[in-house]
């Protein structure tokens, strides 16, 4: 195996080896007797087949401060809601590695919150802003645009619909309260060039 073809991160157009050494596999192309990467990704050599291929790395954005994300509430603790970050709200791409994020009780809404159970329930889908991306992901749902965007009834699991008196279960008629986003029920990408919430 030559230095050119050991497994590594490659750019499109990067030389992987010669057509004499390797059969061009998926994610590569041959040009003038040389094999190049066609994708951004990791190159792999199959010695038995004498083939080289490139497995794409999709352009999933790193989660960074200011990003808007969709997150599912998994668990409520006394001081924080523990969430799974599902996707970027701006690109709708799924988040890499299903990272965990937390909403501290002081960041759930503007003003004092007695209990996170008054604002969220497990299973709720939040639209949240990343206030810290590293080393742990911290989220806020305080601005009016942010908060719960989809939720289910805690007694019957029916979908809750936004009404004038809060959230109403479409199945059993129960009413529930959440820290609702203005865009509750409207799961759509947020119009923002920089990922910050619209004002
Ligand atoms: Zn219900």
């Amino acid at each position: 195996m030559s230095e050119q073809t050991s497994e590594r991160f490659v750019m499109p157009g990067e030389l992987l080896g010669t057509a004499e050494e390797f059969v061009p596999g998926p994610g590569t192309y041959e040009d003038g007797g040389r094999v190049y990467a066609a994708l951004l990704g990791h190159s792999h050599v199959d010695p038995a087949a004498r083939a080289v291929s490139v497995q794409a790395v999709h352009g999933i954005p790193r989660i960074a401060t200011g990003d808007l994300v969709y997150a599912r509430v998994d668990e409520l603790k006394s001081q924080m809601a523990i969430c799974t970050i599902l996707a970027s709200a701006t690109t709708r791409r799924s988040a890499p590695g299903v990272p965990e994020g937390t909403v501290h009780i002081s960041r759930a809404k503007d003003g004092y919150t007695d209990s996170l159970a008054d604002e969220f329930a497990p299973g709720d889908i939040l639209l949240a802003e990343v206030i810290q991306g590293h080393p742990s992901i911290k989220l806020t749902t305080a601005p009016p645009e942010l908060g719960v965007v989809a939720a289910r009834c805690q007694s019957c699991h029916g979908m809750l619909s936004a009404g004038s008196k809060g959230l109403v279960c479409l199945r059993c008629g129960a009413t529930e309260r959440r820290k609702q986003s203005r865009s509750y029920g409207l799961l759509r990408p947020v119009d923002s060039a920089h990922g910050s919430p619209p004002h």
Side-chain angles (χ1 to χ4, degrees):
M1 190 185 294
S2 76
E3 187 63 28
Q4 291 286 350
T5 50
S6 55
E7 189 164 317
R8 64 200 161 90
F9 191 70
V10 294
M11 304 287 286
E14 201 164 319
L15 179 66
L16 301 172
T18 67
E20 287 158 6
E21 288 177 279
F22 296 110
V23 177
T28 73
Y29 64 94
E30 188 189 340
D31 186 37
R34 293 175 167 209
V35 180
Y36 299 91
L39 307 167
L40 177 73
H42 295 283
S43 65
H44 296 270
V45 171
D46 178 351
R50 301 182 56 79
V52 62
S53 61
V54 175
Q55 207 162 34
V57 168
H58 298 289
I60 295 168
R62 259 191 61 156
I63 291 174
T65 305
D67 287 355
L68 289 184
V69 295
Y70 291 118
R72 185 190 60 232
V73 177
D74 294 325
E75 193 184 348
L76 297 179
K77 303 227 177 200
S78 62
Q79 293 300 303
M80 65 179 70
I82 299 177
C83 308
T84 298
I85 295 174
L86 304 173
S88 157
T90 34
T91 64
R92 291 276 186 121
R93 284 180 174 136
S94 42
V98 203
E100 184 181 283
T102 56
V103 183
H104 189 262
I105 190 165
S106 64
R107 300 288 195 161
K109 68 171 186 187
D110 278 333
Y112 178 72
T113 304
D114 194 39
S115 165
L116 276 170
D118 294 340
E119 316 300 337
F120 308 133
D124 287 357
I125 305 298
L126 307 178
L127 177 61
E129 182 182 347
V130 177
I131 51 176
Q132 177 186 296
H134 185 80
S136 60
I137 299 172
K138 293 182 177 172
L139 306 169
T140 179
T141 56
E145 302 81 11
L146 305 182
V148 177
V149 290
R152 287 183 179 274
C153 172
Q154 293 187 80
S155 22
C156 82
H157 256 64
M159 286 305 298
L160 295 173
S161 174
S164 54
K165 291 175 186 168
L167 297 172
V168 183
C169 176
L170 296 172
R171 193 185 289 167
C172 75
T175 56
E176 294 193 15
R177 218 187 74 184
R178 298 287 199 281
K179 197 297 181 180
Q180 247 174 273
S181 159
R182 253 186 211 156
S183 51
Y184 184 94
L186 307 167
L187 274 179
R188 59 184 160 76
V190 175
D191 297 324
S192 166
H194 304 291
S196 54
H199 290 292

